[in-house]
Amino acid sequence: MKVVVLTGAGISAESGIPTFRGKDGLWNKYDPTQLATPEAFNKDPKLVWEWYDWRRQLIAKAQPNEGHRILAQMENSIKDFWLITQNVDGLHQRAGSKKVIELHGNIWKVRCLKCREEYFEYKAPLEEIPPKCKYCGGLLRPGVVWFGESLPTDALEKAFKLSEEADIFLVVGTSAQVYPAAELPFIAKRSGAKLIEVNPEETPVTPYCDVSLRESASTGLKKAWEEIRKYTA
Ligand code: OAD
């Protein structure tokens, strides 16, 4: 029995990390075209880095919540279990998840535009903005996927394959508006998976769900696990 999970910003909401859409969402306060595109970075790397430095500090202070922990426990007790995330905060790994596929990169990674080296840089706040490469002194960029950029090929191919193979596909805390990640639940459903959703609000995935739990991640995931046990019993 293969269980595959797709998470979005909603799973980290209970850790105090703002989501992107909705009333208190980041894209309500900030313009993504000024902060999360290659063009914005070329125009003003300092401004973009200041925003990422602020988010990195917020994430550094946050702790994984019950939702992250339940998914880490699921991985321990279900043999064929995979977690695909759109989140860049690394909180799944901090909660103990190991089989994590990051579709949109990781906010703790930096990539040099000159020598192309990619490495983890955990300092928050950064010592210098914009930061420079520790190998060659070139300009670094955040190791995340921006609007208009392709997703990492390996991660995306793996995510498509897992979604096709899933017996149970669990979608948690994503508005399912950003493609290609939003396509994954539909691929899973078309390929015969049972679809379970945990989200306080309805999403485009909701009408296709076998079980849809209108709950926060921490509460909803406990119930989702009960549902998964029914299918795996
Ligand atoms: P969104 O901000 O679009 O959606 C967050 C979802 O979480 C919404 O559907 C909320 O209803 C739900 N939610 C809020 N609180 C929750 C809670 N306590 N428990 C469970 N769910 C809750 O975030 P994403 O769908 O992750 O991309 O956004 C996808 C991508 O858009 C992000 O990865 C980012 C963004 O632009 C890039 O930066 C490339």
Side-chain angles (χ1 to χ4, degrees):
M1 181 71 69
K2 190 189 279 296
V3 179
V4 180
V5 184
L6 173 68
T7 62
I11 189 142
S12 294
E14 289 167 273
S15 294
I17 299 175
T19 61
F20 293 95
R21 293 168 189 82
K23 191 165 59 65
D24 299 320
L26 290 171
W27 297 152
N28 230 0
K29 288 196 207 105
Y30 303 96
D31 178 358
T33 64
Q34 302 298 314
L35 296 168
T37 64
E39 293 76 18
F41 188 74
N42 288 340
K43 193 174 133 214
D44 197 343
K46 187 164 176 285
L47 175 80
V48 171
W49 263 117
E50 276 165 357
W51 191 67
Y52 277 91
D53 193 42
W54 168 71
R55 285 181 60 202
R56 284 163 56 102
Q57 291 180 58
L58 209 66
I59 292 165
K61 287 189 202 112
Q63 296 301 326
N65 65 57
E66 188 61 11
H68 297 109
R69 282 193 290 275
I70 292 171
L71 290 176
Q73 286 160 12
M74 277 190 195
E75 180 178 323
N76 282 336
S77 47
I78 301 168
K79 210 167 136 226
D80 199 358
F81 179 93
W82 293 88
L83 175 52
I84 305 166
T85 189
Q86 299 164 85
N87 298 349
V88 297
D89 57 28
L91 286 181
H92 284 304
Q93 292 89 333
R94 278 172 60 194
S97 288
K98 295 197 175 60
K99 283 147 80 181
V100 183
I101 295 155
E102 293 181 319
L103 288 179
H104 293 164
N106 188 301
I107 203 162
W108 300 110
K109 266 189 197 158
V110 290
R111 189 156 73 244
C112 179
L113 295 180
K114 199 168 156 200
C115 72
R116 303 278 146 192
E117 198 67 48
E118 190 170 68
Y119 59 95
F120 283 95
E121 169 56 75
Y122 289 102
K123 276 192 209 89
L126 288 158
E127 279 166 1
E128 183 192 10
I129 291 182
K132 304 285 158 34
C133 177
K134 68 176 177 184
Y135 298 106
C136 77
L139 177 64
L140 292 172
R141 62 160 282 175
V144 300
V145 176
W146 283 326
F147 287 103
E149 292 186 313
S150 311
L151 274 57
T153 312
D154 290 359
L156 187 60
E157 278 174 5
K158 179 97 186 160
F160 278 136
K161 187 163 183 288
L162 288 171
S163 304
E164 275 167 20
E165 293 168 353
D167 297 298
I168 297 172
F169 195 93
L170 173 58
V171 196
V172 188
T174 176
S175 62
Q177 286 187 39
V178 175
Y179 283 76
E183 183 68 22
L184 300 175
F186 297 104
I187 292 174
K189 182 72 188 174
R190 277 201 303 273
S191 310
K194 296 279 177 216
L195 200 53
I196 305 175
E197 180 178 52
V198 177
N199 197 312
E201 287 174 27
E202 286 194 9
T203 75
V205 175
T206 309
Y208 302 91
C209 285
D210 297 274
V211 180
S212 193
L213 300 158
R214 291 280 75 73
E215 314 254 16
S216 70
S218 55
T219 316
L221 275 170
K222 287 190 194 105
K223 295 185 186 170
W225 202 351
E226 298 293 309
E227 292 296 329
I228 292 171
R229 283 205 183 95
K230 279 187 212 159
Y231 291 122
T232 49

